Amino acid sequence: MKNDPVEAIVDIYLRELKLPGMRSSYRAVLRETTEKALGPLEFLSACLGAEIETRRANRFKARLKEARFPCVKSLSDFDFSAMPKLDKLKVTSLCGGDFVGGKENAVLIGPSGTGKTHIATSMGLGAIEAGCRVRFVGALILCQELELARAEHRLPKYLKSYDKYDLVIIDELGYLGLGTGGQLLFQFMAERYERRSVVITTNLEFGRWVEVFADPALTTALLDRLTHHCHVVVFDGDSYRFRQSQKAAEDRKHGRSRPKPADD
Ligand code: ADP
Ligand code: MG
């Protein structure tokens, strides 16, 4: 009822107690429980349920924002028939987020356009849904930020800022050499070793990582740590993007129209 003094007080209490889910839903819940002739316990239970649901949704939204995914891509958007050699079972299980609980790592290896970033993002989403905190970052940007932090004498603080994330997704390792950033990336991994999870996407097989880090001993030490408790997923196939644009060109040639491929 509008302007009801009791409702006004309830609103004030719920605001003060920081119960937004209950505040936005208790009137509807009250109507419904009255209509169904349910008791006060059912009313209370539905209100608390609404509050829990609101908090869960808000937390998910906040964690999605802090993850900084370049684009939100879920497993259900992924067409496994386009990648017949991909280990669907392994990918599906990794997107469930359990590996993060086990402080395990994953490396997604394959040529450009085969869906590595898409799956890495889906893995991140799965981890968030499982209650984890996730951060997505490009390998090059991470190295630049690490170098800047070192130059400004705040490297320990910068490294610590990643400690709150249960999972860090490092995207596109190896497309460009990392220079002195390679050593810092090693330090970054060493800090997380066996405490937190890392997912790396790369177009370079392990044998070529030395080209990125330009130091054989460091590369061996890094691979040693990273691949201990590690899931390796190989993306073997042609670029999905390339195939989509080829199909579209074919269709145009034959006067057929088809939906635009998903952009990234
Ligand atoms: P990579 O990181 O391996 O270079 P991306 O994950 O960026 O590749 O994929 C390129 C684009 O193609 C993205 O828009 C992605 O969503 C899409 N894509 C790739 N593989 C698939 C697939 N099997 N099903 C659906 N979309 C895909
Ligand atoms: Mg990519």
Side-chain angles (χ1 to χ4, degrees), residues 153-219:
H153 309 289
R154 52 177 177 83
L155 187 59
K157 199 172 161 204
Y158 182 80
L159 288 171
K160 208 170 178 330
S161 72
Y162 274 86
D163 226 32
K164 60 177 176 280
Y165 301 112
D166 305 287
L167 168 65
V168 174
I169 300 169
I170 304 175
D171 193 39
E172 288 200 20
L173 179 80
Y175 289 90
L176 287 170
L178 304 172
T180 53
Q183 271 177 342
L184 295 171
L185 192 58
F186 172 78
Q187 202 175 331
F188 182 89
M189 303 281 203
E191 290 268 328
R192 296 184 69 83
Y193 180 57
E194 287 194 329
R195 293 191 310 116
R196 300 271 191 277
S197 294
V198 173
V199 168
I200 293 184
T201 79
T202 179
N203 65 339
L204 291 179
E205 63 245 41
F206 291 131
R208 292 187 58 200
W209 280 33
V210 69
E211 293 167 31
V212 183
F213 293 96
D215 179 336
L218 188 109
T219 310

Side-chain angles (χ1 to χ4, degrees), residues 111-118 136 171-172 175 201-202 241 264:
S112 178
T114 49
K116 302 181 299 296
T117 301
H118 185 136
F136 182 107
D171 193 39
E172 288 200 20
Y175 289 90
T201 79
T202 179
R241 221 172 353 209
D264 46 331

